[in-house]
Amino acid sequence: MATYVALLRGVNVGGRAQVSMRDLRDAVGALGYDDVSTYIQSGNVIFRNASRSAARIRAELERAIDEEFGLSVSVILRTPTELDRVVRRNPFLSRRADVAQLHVALLGKRPSRPALARLEPKRSPPDEFVAIDREIYLRCPNGIGRSKLTNDYFERQLDTPVTMRNWRTVTELLRLAQARP
């Protein structure tokens, strides 16, 4: 049975798109997924499934959230193996960056080279970012709330759904996902 982490975009942020994690957990369980749990209020769901493809799972979750909560949100899926790769690849860790300044933008699909070329490295100094595969690693010394490197910016430039998590959340989601039998 495969374990998945579903990351919902824009849930419970800034008083918008309010969803109870208990209700979200129940809605995911009602779809037939097993061992469902949530982590913090930002729309992170960990669950197991034996037979559905990632594309089908994503579509089912997005449809259920729309039907149950009246919200059209993007769902980004990662397996524990993929999250482990996200953690190991963070280029800012080798530079001993303050982990409180680190975030990861998780992308729905791998962007094309022309799309990546549209990203502006100097868009929000002193913030930095590095794109690797389906993630964009960010270091935001003045905080993510002041950065111009937003979900909306990356979605417009890369033409894919994006959701962002701080480094502590990413590493905790990995720990929780790996703890599943």
Side-chain angles (χ1 to χ4, degrees), residues 28-151:
V28 173
L31 293 171
Y33 298 116
D34 299 310
D35 199 17
V36 180
S37 64
T38 59
Y39 175 69
I40 64 175
Q41 293 295 311
S42 58
N44 306 296
V45 187
I46 305 158
F47 58 92
R48 296 175 41 193
N49 179 266
S51 60
R52 297 177 189 145
S53 70
R56 180 175 170 196
I57 291 169
R58 190 185 75 253
E60 287 179 349
L61 292 174
E62 288 175 352
R63 186 174 36 258
I65 292 163
D66 186 25
E67 291 172 1
E68 184 74 22
F69 307 106
L71 299 172
S72 178
V73 299
S74 297
V75 174
I76 306 294
L77 284 180
R78 295 294 188 268
T79 65
T81 299
E82 291 168 333
L83 273 180
D84 182 60
R85 192 175 313 125
V86 169
V87 169
R88 285 184 291 107
R89 286 181 171 178
N90 190 327
F92 297 111
L93 293 177
S94 64
R95 298 186 342 200
R96 301 193 189 282
D98 179 354
V99 294
Q101 300 174 357
L102 302 182
H103 294 75
V104 179
L106 298 114
L107 313 179
K109 67 180 180 183
R110 185 182 213 167
S112 67
R113 287 182 195 250
L116 286 170
R118 289 192 296 264
L119 297 178
E120 304 166 48
K122 304 287 187 199
R123 176 177 172 79
S124 186
D127 302 336
E128 304 175 82
F129 66 88
V130 176
I132 301 174
D133 196 23
R134 293 185 300 158
E135 282 76 38
I136 298 176
Y137 297 89
L138 298 106
R139 189 181 75 82
C140 300
N142 297 326
I144 196 71
R146 296 176 183 226
S147 181
K148 294 179 184 175
L149 301 173
T150 64
N151 283 333

